[in-house]
Amino acid sequence: MNPSDAIATRNLMQQRKACTILPTYNNGGTLRDVVERVLTYCSDVIVVNDGCTDNSSEILALFGERITVVDYGRNRGKGYALKQGFKKAKTMGFDYAITIDSDGQHYPEDIPLFVKALEQHPGALIVGSRNLKQENMPGKNSFANKFSNFWFKLQTWIDLPDTQTGYRLYPLKKLPYIFSARYEAELSLLVFSAWRGTDLVPIKVNVFYPKAEERVTHFRPFWDFFRISVLNTILCLVAIVYGWPSRLIHKLFKPKNRLRFFL
């Protein structure tokens, strides 16, 4: 993207009152590069320091007033970091927030895709969809995403290609309450948004996965998968008494030109 296009994206984000939120925990090796690239496309960047114990605090200090840092001292989990980031964005007067990981997996160069989708679908939750068949994609990630997609469709009647991506654009005024402090919070945000009638719009985004020996992840395979499984069980029960009736009501009363996002 040339400089004029980047400027146009920044201007559109300001017009739409949109910011970017980066939760980070011990990603000092990639953090500076990601923040710099995000600033190319967004002038309002909120970085949530989720209790980093590496050199992340020093890296963030280098940006000075170019970014807003939320720091609460100790590691609380990605869900809690998102909650604090959204809270800060609302107090700063933003209506939308793009969430992007700080580990280098997501490409900030895809931010214009979210802005374009927002222009076409104001008020929607834009969900970045990764290519889960590309080189170096961990096999367990593909399985976990298929597993999550199945339960999500059962709970909401919506078919999304990637329910585990953290690269999203949220309408802050329609944001559901975040119940969990861990990874499963992002899944619950999708489910409750769907139940409340928010349009979910998937867009294709790029993703980078380094070789296994170079990968930095804080996902705990057993415990986090266990927590996600428990959450899915609870959501299926709630879907029967609340989720499905709510979806049906919203589906019946939405304008016809917006029903194409539903199954």
Side-chain angles (χ1 to χ4, degrees), residues 20 22 33-42 45 100 108 111:
T20 304
L22 286 84
D33 176 66
V34 173
V35 174
E36 287 178 342
R37 290 159 63 194
V38 168
L39 284 168
T40 301
Y41 303 94
C42 178
V45 179
I100 180 172
I111 288 177

Side-chain angles (χ1 to χ4, degrees), residues 90-149:
K90 289 179 179 180
T91 61
M92 294 175 68
F94 293 107
D95 292 335
Y96 297 94
I98 296 176
T99 58
I100 180 172
D101 291 347
S102 63
D103 59 2
Q105 175 190 146
H106 301 144
Y107 285 75
E109 291 75 18
D110 285 337
I111 288 177
L113 301 178
F114 286 90
V115 177
K116 181 179 179 181
L118 176 61
E119 290 292 292
Q120 298 172 346
H121 309 284
L125 197 168
I126 315 298
V127 186
S129 299
R130 302 163 294 175
N131 177 7
L132 298 176
K133 297 181 180 180
Q134 74 174 53
E135 185 179 3
N136 292 333
M137 174 65 70
K140 61 183 180 181
N141 286 38
S142 298
F143 169 78
N145 196 60
K146 290 178 181 178
F147 179 83
S148 179
N149 291 353

Side-chain angles (χ1 to χ4, degrees), residues 155-158 194-197 239-240 242-254 259 262-263:
Q155 294 154 2
T156 65
W157 307 336
I158 297 176
W195 287 347
R196 295 175 63 175
I240 297 173
Y242 169 74
W244 295 343
S246 179
R247 287 281 299 137
L248 182 59
I249 291 172
H250 285 293
K251 184 174 181 178
L252 291 174
F253 289 96
K254 273 188 177 278
L259 288 179
F262 299 93
L263 296 182

